[in-house]
Amino acid sequence: MTEQKATNVHWHEGDIGRAERGELLGHGGATIWFTGLSGSGKSTVAVALEGVLHELGVLAYRLDGDNVRLGINRNLGFSAEDRAENIRRVGEVAKLFVDCGAVALSSFISPYAADRDKVRALHEEAGLPFIEVFVDCSLEAAEARDPKGLYKKARAGEIKNFTGIDDPYEAPANPELHLRSDQQSLEEEVDAILVLLRERGIIPAA
């Protein structure tokens, strides 16, 4: 699905670049990539972080797994191939947000390390910050939460290719940040991300 089909196409540079957009906004852009099991708390952290960033005057936008699959990726399922394409497209969209100067909050199970690494490489090649946040949670805790009732359906065989049940999850080996949502409070998780963003000069110091 990643083959370049269109021919005679060329990137068109504009007169306004990342530096100018950064001056306008007063902060830098970055992709914060939340990965973890379903029910680990990825979206919960992203929503809370978005609210705090907004209060700080930082432009942020959430790219959430279900939301994206209701729109741009509505033609994709949950096979390994479709998951890879799902993550590739989201990576490209996040890259555009970051180039615009926004903080892209991407919440996706993204179970395969190779797919996440490709998104990281995409950002690194463009000189854009990419921060992988592993929202770690035991399968038992995630299944106990089961906010959408998906684990129950997966256990009953009603859902196939469900991560953690009949599909694997490859945990990040070296994430920029490792959260434990079954041990930390939501406030502690958000604060840890803010500290990292400030240390990297993406948002102004407090």
Side-chain angles (χ1 to χ4, degrees), residues 21-37:
R21 290 189 284 272
E23 289 181 12
L24 178 67
L25 293 171
H27 61 79
T31 287
I32 304 178
W33 193 276
F34 298 94
T35 177
L37 294 171

Side-chain angles (χ1 to χ4, degrees), residues 112-130:
Y112 301 117
D115 295 338
R116 298 192 303 267
D117 289 345
K118 288 176 183 176
V119 177
R120 179 186 292 277
L122 182 71
H123 283 68
E124 290 178 347
E125 289 166 6
L128 298 171
F130 180 85

Side-chain angles (χ1 to χ4, degrees), residues 2-127:
T2 59
E3 178 186 356
Q4 178 71 48
K5 292 186 177 181
T7 58
N8 298 311
V9 291
H10 306 277
W11 187 266
H12 189 176
E13 291 289 348
D15 295 329
I16 303 300
R18 199 176 306 151
E20 289 80 10
R21 290 189 284 272
E23 289 181 12
L24 178 67
L25 293 171
H27 61 79
T31 287
I32 304 178
W33 193 276
F34 298 94
T35 177
L37 294 171
S38 176
S40 64
K42 301 180 298 300
S43 295
T44 300
V45 178
V47 167
L49 178 62
E50 182 182 35
V52 173
L53 289 176
H54 181 75
E55 292 176 359
L56 294 173
V58 176
L59 180 62
Y61 191 85
R62 286 186 306 108
L63 296 168
D64 187 80
D66 282 1
N67 294 357
V68 169
R69 283 183 176 275
L70 289 170
I72 191 172
N73 289 348
R74 66 188 305 170
N75 65 322
L76 298 176
F78 291 94
S79 66
E81 294 76 14
D82 279 5
R83 285 182 186 273
E85 176 62 9
N86 181 55
I87 296 307
R88 186 195 71 80
R89 291 184 195 178
V90 172
E92 292 283 3
V93 171
K95 178 184 167 185
L96 293 175
F97 273 101
V98 180
D99 188 53
C100 185
V103 176
L105 308 175
S106 302
S107 303
F108 294 83
I109 295 173
S110 44
Y112 301 117
D115 295 338
R116 298 192 303 267
D117 289 345
K118 288 176 183 176
V119 177
R120 179 186 292 277
L122 182 71
H123 283 68
E124 290 178 347
E125 289 166 6

